[in-house]
Amino acid sequence: MQDNIFSSKPKQISQAAVQILSKVYGSIDNVNLIVISDMKLPLNIAENLKKLGLKDFNFLEDPFDKFFNKTEKQLSKSEKFLKAFSQYDVIMIGYKDQKKLIDVSLVRKILKKRKQRPIFFIDCGIPGNICVDISNLSNCYLFDLNDLEQLYTSWIQNN
């Protein structure tokens, strides 16, 4: 059911994301995107981003639990994990599970690996898989589907 909530809007959400990404990175043709999800909608949005100029993206459909330390129920903060995720400019995440998977401490470590280059998150989870307080970090941008849909609607009304 959660896959279909915004299913009619991936094109509009992608167009809004392109507008913002272009302001953050200059253009989207060199932006690195990873989609981490067990839902179809994030993949649809990524495909639309590709049609709008994104070169390519990686898709990880494995359960996010594989990144968790089973005993502590915490995201693995290993060097390998941080190095892998720090290479992406955009991380789009959306899991049916309502766990908050991305938090401030993880994003700080990713930003440190990125040498403070901006990072952009798109939270496709409903109600969300990313702690909203990451948006308080410098060079960190967080948008959920509702934010992007509202921006698209606002831009259409103002043009």
Side-chain angles (χ1 to χ4, degrees), residues 6-115:
F6 289 97
S7 62
S8 64
K9 309 260 185 217
K11 185 175 180 181
Q12 293 89 344
I13 290 167
S14 301
Q15 290 172 336
V18 165
Q19 294 292 322
I20 299 164
L21 288 168
S22 295
K23 290 178 182 176
V24 173
Y25 296 106
S27 73
I28 67 164
D29 58 346
N30 289 320
V31 168
N32 295 317
L33 166 69
I34 187 167
V35 178
I36 310 164
S37 183
D38 63 356
M39 301 186 308
K40 292 178 185 171
L41 179 59
L43 189 56
N44 290 343
I45 294 168
E47 289 291 345
N48 277 285
L49 286 170
K50 195 170 176 182
K51 290 176 188 174
L52 294 170
L54 184 73
K55 278 188 183 174
D56 204 1
F57 62 90
N58 289 329
F59 178 61
L60 177 67
E61 61 183 328
D62 293 334
F64 209 73
D65 285 351
K66 94 174 210 176
F67 296 107
F68 279 83
N69 178 327
K70 303 280 189 225
T71 58
E72 296 176 23
K73 300 280 187 202
Q74 293 235 331
L75 195 57
S76 171
K77 311 275 193 316
S78 72
E79 282 299 309
K80 184 177 177 183
F81 174 86
L82 291 171
K83 184 177 180 182
F85 280 79
S86 67
Q87 71 179 330
Y88 295 101
D89 303 309
V90 180
I91 297 174
M92 186 181 329
I93 186 168
Y95 280 90
K96 295 172 188 168
D97 190 339
Q98 298 179 5
K99 288 182 199 170
K100 296 295 184 194
L101 302 171
I102 307 286
D103 63 15
V104 169
S105 78
L106 176 63
V107 174
R108 278 192 180 123
K109 289 177 182 182
I110 292 172
L111 281 167
K112 186 176 180 180
K113 287 271 184 211
R114 290 178 57 78
K115 299 184 177 163

